[in-house]
Amino acid sequence: MPATDMPATDMSVTQALRRRRSVRAFTDRSVDPALLKEIFAAAQRAPSGGNLQPWQATVLTGEAWQAVRQAVAARIAMGRAGQEPEYDIYPPALTAPWTDRRFGVGEALYASLGIPREDKRGRLAQFMDNYRGFGAPVMLFLHCSRIMGPPQWADMGMWLQSVMLMLVEQGLASCPQECWAMYGATVRRTIGLGDDQILFTGLAIGYADEDAAVNQWPVPRAPIDEAIDWKGFGT
């Protein structure tokens, strides 16, 4: 394997996994593009069926990133007529326990900010911050060819997780944002992608605002007994 120029750290994969969270408040500190290149180069080791490596990404900062924010803001102002969803982010017939988890994490987020359910304006303002990348200086848009199917989308997820863990290792933070797919065509046009590409997700990248309450509340995870069924291991 080629040598990496990334700064050496003592962080284990387990530590990075435990520290990773979806950060929703970033500082304005710039991110070294050379470090990002090293992270993306290392992430190319992520597995993919048949070694297709279906992931493609467009990484933006500065005016290019601002152009996307402005273009999507104009579509949001149109209401539902402005939406151009690439896919259903959540299954239309979502049921428990998944509905409970989705509702619970949303309520915990708003509680961390002191925004009660009846404060519709406050909740809308917080939701709209999604489309500013929560102040992140870098936005990565992950996309692939439309000929790709569910197995290749799983491959993209493994690449994305690899990137997020290495960002943590290097002191950076991120927030995966499938919400951008609600305005996928606008994003694709603005960043110069053809209709042969489909937008999967955004990934906000930067340095976390460690003092922000929205970055401090505990994000629950289901116990492994709800996810793992053991067979043949005895008692």
Side-chain angles (χ1 to χ4, degrees):
M1 289 181 60
T4 176
D5 294 327
M6 284 193 295
T9 72
D10 294 327
M11 186 179 295
S12 69
V13 175
T14 301
Q15 289 172 321
L17 186 58
R18 287 174 174 166
R19 293 186 188 185
R20 191 218 65 82
R21 66 177 293 142
S22 295
V23 165
R24 292 180 172 86
F26 292 85
T27 71
D28 60 1
R29 179 182 172 185
S30 61
V31 178
D32 183 358
L35 179 56
L36 291 179
K37 288 180 182 178
E38 291 292 338
I39 289 173
F40 299 146
Q44 289 299 106
R45 299 299 305 173
S48 60
N51 198 32
L52 295 189
Q53 305 170 64
W55 49 80
Q56 295 177 265
T58 301
V59 187
L60 311 175
T61 194
E63 293 182 358
W65 172 208
Q66 183 180 10
V68 173
R69 298 196 303 269
Q70 291 175 338
V72 170
R75 298 294 299 189
I76 292 173
M78 298 169 61
R80 288 188 177 275
Q83 295 181 359
E84 305 164 298
E86 298 280 72
Y87 57 87
D88 290 327
I89 294 177
Y90 301 106
L94 196 66
T95 59
W98 306 288
T99 48
D100 299 333
R101 294 173 187 169
R102 183 185 176 195
F103 177 79
V105 77
E107 288 303 303
L109 185 155
Y110 289 122
S112 74
L113 296 169
I115 305 175
R117 188 179 303 180
E118 60 270 17
D119 185 0
K120 303 299 184 183
R121 187 183 298 272
R123 291 197 169 201
L124 178 60
Q126 174 59 31
F127 175 76
M128 290 301 296
D129 206 25
N130 276 281
Y131 295 102
R132 292 183 285 271
F134 304 112
V138 175
M139 176 59 67
L140 178 152
F141 287 112
L142 183 58
H143 48 92
C144 70
S145 169
R146 288 188 184 274
I147 68 173
M148 300 299 174
Q152 289 76 49
W153 281 57
D155 295 340
M156 285 197 290
M158 288 188 280
W159 181 87
L160 189 67
Q161 175 78 326
S162 300
V163 168
M164 290 190 290
L165 294 181
M166 284 187 287
L167 288 169
V168 171
E169 181 189 25
Q170 297 301 323
L172 287 153
S174 65
C175 184
Q177 295 184 277
E178 292 174 335
C179 65
W180 291 99
M182 293 298 297
Y183 300 93
T186 296
V187 173
R188 287 189 283 103
R189 285 193 299 268
T190 307
I191 66 177
L193 296 181
D195 290 338
D196 61 315
Q197 292 284 301
I198 184 168
L199 179 68
F200 171 30
T201 188
L203 182 71
I205 299 173
Y207 290 91
D209 180 350
E210 302 291 353
D211 296 326
V214 75
N215 289 336
Q216 298 176 5
W217 56 280
V219 182
R221 288 294 188 267
I224 64 169
D225 288 347
E226 290 188 20
I228 308 298
D229 189 14
W230 302 91
K231 303 289 188 183
F233 285 88
T235 58

